[in-house]
């Protein structure tokens, strides 16, 4: 995006020529999401957006709009009862806009990065990103739209049919419920039109299964989904990014499920009253949702401290790059683990699947993680001092907001206004921060024709 000012010869009444002003891609991403939040806040502030008398307060509208655009799911008012059908439609539109914008902007950022590099680096980037390095803007946008339409359409149909046949919902009402929760699931938003999220469906494998599949697919990311569609039966042809994302996602899903089952199996307020199949279903669902989805089929406030802590780790990691999920991303966490493994084994290179990971990628992973960790630590310190809640609850709430997850131990609506505003900033930063930071770091990469003498620093 460039703004060019008129120029002419120097003289009386003439100004010196000015160079075009070009916005950095990271600035465009931030400005776009900020504009969407402001638009959503204005619409939700209208009296017609609220089910009761009057209109929502500025904080209520701003918080809900930010949560929807950032596809988080944290709320300060009950979504189903507080907002009118118009308000629900606005929230749904913001979720779709935010999710589509996230996948598109992140994918286009990857495309831009590959084309800003030199020839040799472009060939390397094309191999690493595979689906992004050789495409164009139109193909990326159309591809994201098609993927979204297919997954959301299939989930809408399954959910609507289930609501009609098993819960006696009228067809139009069932279609609306199916559409709203399908869009919310694929975009990892976590918004639900029931005050208990999906707790009432804890025994229903169709509802929970449909939501779970949509959440996982949305959390993989467009580049991975596009490549899996082409090469699903040929794993040997998958790019390194796809292999890392799929493997990391599978391991984290298994770890989350094991954590919930081990910690909550005998908890009388969560898994305890369920039979074995019900425990397994709820365990799988609850273990997957901290991957930035935000739905819950068990009462989060009743879970053990061990589950809270493990979920916090999962929320911080998040989902795949260029996906609707938040967090530092699966690929970032895997690269960090590979760095540690290489150092422990004394290897000079960081390797995975017979490929060497560039030093620049390693440094980006460290930078994103350190910045995210610093933001979480500072916000948690502020919450423990002002919110009056325990450290575990404060940390859970902060990471849930920064990781754009939406799970809560039940303290969000009771927080002081200042703390709710901090959560707004965390949701916005957590949504655009990792993407813009990674983009900025990649685009700042340049060749240096000299190197300083090397000297070791004692570590540990």
């Amino acid at each position: 995006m460039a703004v060019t000012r008129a120029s002419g010869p120097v003289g009386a009444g003439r100004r010196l020529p000015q160079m075009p002003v070009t916005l950095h891609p990271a600035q465009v991403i931030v400005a776009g999401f900020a504009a969407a939040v402001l638009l959503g806040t204005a619409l939700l502030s209208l009296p017609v957006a609220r089910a009761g008398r009057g209109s929502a307060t500025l904080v209520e509208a701003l918080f809900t709009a930010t949560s929807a655009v950032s596809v988080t799911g944290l709320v300060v008012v009950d979504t189903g009862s507080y907002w009118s059908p118009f308000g629900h439609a606005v929230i749904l539109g913001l979720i779709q806009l935010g999710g589509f914008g996230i996948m598109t902007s992140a994918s286009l950022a990857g495309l831009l990065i590959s084309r800003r590099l030199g020839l040799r680096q472009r060939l390397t980037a094309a191999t690493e990103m595979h689906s992004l390095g050789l495409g164009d803007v139109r193909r990326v946008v159309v591809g994201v739209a098609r993927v979204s339409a297919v997954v959301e359409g299939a989930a809408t149909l399954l959910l609507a049919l289930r609501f009609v046949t098993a819960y006696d919902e009228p067809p139009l009402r069932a279609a609306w419920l199916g559409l709203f929760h399908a869009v919310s699931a694929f975009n990892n938003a976590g918004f639900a039109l029931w005050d208990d999220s999906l707790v009432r469906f804890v025994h229903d494998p169709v509802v929970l299964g449909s939501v779970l599949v949509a959440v996982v697919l949305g959390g993989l990311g467009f580049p991975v989904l596009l490549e899996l569609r082409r090469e699903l039966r040929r794993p040997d042809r998958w790019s390194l990014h796809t292999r890392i994302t799929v493997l990391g996602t599978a391991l984290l899903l298994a770890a989350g499920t094991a954590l919930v089952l081990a910690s909550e199996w005998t908890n009388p307020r969560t898994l305890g009253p369920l039979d074995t199949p019900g425990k397994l279903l709820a365990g799988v669902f609850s273990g997957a949702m901290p991957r930035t989805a935000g739905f819950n089929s068990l009462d989060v406030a009743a879970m053990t401290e061990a589950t809270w802590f493990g979920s916090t780790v999962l929320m911080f990691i998040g989902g795949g790059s260029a996906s609707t999920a938040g967090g530092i991303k699966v690929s970032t966490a895997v690269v960090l683990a590979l760095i540690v493994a290489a150092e422990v084994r004394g290897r000079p290179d960081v390797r995975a699947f017979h490929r060497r990971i560039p030093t620049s990628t390693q440094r980006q992973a460290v930078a994103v993680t350190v910045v995210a960790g610093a933001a979480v630590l500072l916000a948690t310190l502020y919450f423990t001092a002002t919110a009056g809640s325990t450290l575990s609850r404060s940390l859970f709430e902060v990471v849930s907001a920064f990781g754009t997850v939406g799970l809560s131990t039940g303290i969000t609506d009771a927080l002081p206004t200042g703390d709710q505003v901090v959560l707004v900033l965390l949701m916005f930063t957590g949504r655009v921060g990792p993407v813009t930071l990674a983009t900025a770091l990649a685009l700042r990469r340049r060749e240096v024709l000299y190197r300083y003498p090397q000297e070791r620093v004692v570590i540990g």
Side-chain angles (χ1 to χ4, degrees):
M1 180 182 299
V3 179
T4 306
R5 298 184 177 90
S7 60
V10 180
R14 297 287 187 179
R15 295 182 178 180
L16 291 174
Q18 297 184 2
M19 298 296 293
V21 179
T22 303
L23 293 179
H24 191 280
Q27 295 174 318
V28 175
I29 294 174
V30 173
F33 279 101
V37 168
L38 293 178
L39 175 62
T41 302
L43 292 175
L44 292 176
S45 297
L46 298 175
V48 70
R50 185 179 175 184
R53 286 186 171 185
S55 57
T57 66
L58 177 61
V59 173
E60 291 170 345
L62 175 63
F63 193 101
T64 305
T66 305
S67 184
V69 172
S70 63
V71 293
T72 301
L74 284 176
V75 294
V76 292
V77 293
D78 178 56
T79 304
S81 61
Y82 187 85
W83 302 106
S84 68
F86 174 81
H88 294 156
V90 171
I91 292 172
L92 182 65
L94 294 175
I95 292 172
Q96 186 68 80
L97 178 63
F100 183 81
I102 292 160
M103 294 182 71
T104 305
S105 60
S107 300
L108 292 179
L111 177 64
L112 175 62
I113 291 169
S114 68
R115 290 184 172 178
R116 283 283 298 273
L117 302 177
L119 178 58
R120 178 176 300 178
Q121 296 167 339
R122 282 182 59 182
L123 292 175
T124 303
T127 302
E128 292 174 352
M129 291 187 286
H130 195 61
S131 60
L132 294 182
L134 301 177
D136 56 16
V137 173
R138 180 180 178 277
R139 185 172 67 85
V140 171
V141 175
V142 172
V144 172
R146 286 178 177 173
V147 168
S148 301
V150 169
V151 177
E152 292 173 1
T156 298
L157 180 61
L158 290 174
L159 290 173
L161 291 175
R162 186 61 173 176
F163 293 145
V164 168
T165 57
Y167 299 96
D168 297 324
E169 292 283 358
L172 289 179
R173 169 70 175 171
W176 170 247
L177 290 174
L179 175 64
F180 188 95
H181 294 91
V183 173
S184 183
F186 178 69
N187 291 286
N188 281 222
F191 277 88
L193 295 179
W194 298 283
D195 58 1
D196 62 353
S197 188
L198 301 181
V199 174
R200 65 187 63 193
F201 303 109
V202 67
H203 297 284
D204 194 325
V206 177
V207 173
L208 295 188
S210 301
V211 171
L212 176 61
V213 172
V215 164
V216 173
L217 291 177
L220 287 176
F222 168 70
V224 175
L225 291 175
L226 184 62
E227 188 168 346
L228 290 179
R229 187 185 69 177
R230 294 196 313 258
E231 308 289 353
L232 180 60
R233 298 182 180 181
R234 298 289 302 274
D236 57 307
R237 302 180 65 177
W238 291 358
S239 66
L240 179 60
H241 173 71
T242 296
R243 294 183 182 187
I244 285 178
T245 301
V246 171
L247 176 61
T249 298
L251 291 176
L252 291 174
L253 288 176
T257 300
L259 166 72
V260 173
L261 292 177
S263 302
E264 305 294 332
W265 190 268
T266 58
N267 187 342
R269 299 173 62 190
T270 55
L271 291 182
L274 304 178
D275 56 15
T276 299
K279 289 180 179 180
L280 294 177
L281 174 62
V284 172
F285 188 84
S286 299
M289 291 306 106
R291 304 286 318 294
T292 82
F295 293 103
N296 61 284
S297 62
L298 299 173
D299 184 4
V300 177
M303 291 179 174
T304 63
E305 294 270 352
T307 305
W308 284 354
F309 181 78
S311 298
T312 301
V313 175
L314 294 174
M315 291 190 296
F316 185 75
I317 295 174
S321 299
S323 74
T324 55
I328 63 172
K329 301 298 186 296
V330 173
S331 54
T332 303
V334 173
V335 169
L336 291 177
L338 292 173
I339 292 174
V340 174
E343 189 63 28
V344 169
R345 296 179 180 180
R347 292 179 176 175
D349 298 320
V350 177
R351 296 175 291 177
F353 298 103
H354 307 291
R355 293 291 186 272
R356 181 167 50 87
I357 298 177
T359 304
S360 59
T361 301
Q362 301 172 38
R363 293 168 58 183
Q364 291 168 22
V366 173
V368 169
T369 304
V370 170
V371 171
V376 166
L377 289 177
L378 291 176
T380 302
L381 177 63
Y382 175 81
F383 263 62
T384 54
T386 61
S389 58
T390 62
L391 175 61
S392 58
R393 287 181 181 270
S394 297
L395 179 62
F396 191 97
E397 201 79 9
V398 166
V399 176
S400 180
F402 184 81
T404 68
V405 181
L407 293 175
S408 175
T409 59
I411 67 174
T412 309
D413 55 351
L415 291 172
T417 301
D419 292 55
Q420 292 177 353
V421 173
V422 171
L423 287 180
V424 169
L425 296 176
L426 284 172
M427 288 188 291
F428 186 82
T429 304
R431 181 70 279 167
V432 303
V435 175
T436 55
L437 177 59
T439 303
L441 289 174
L443 292 179
R444 284 178 60 87
R445 180 181 176 184
R446 53 183 178 269
E447 295 292 336
V448 177
L449 301 180
Y450 62 91
R451 302 179 71 182
Y452 289 109
Q454 178 176 282
E455 183 174 353
R456 292 186 61 84
V457 176
V458 178
I459 302 296

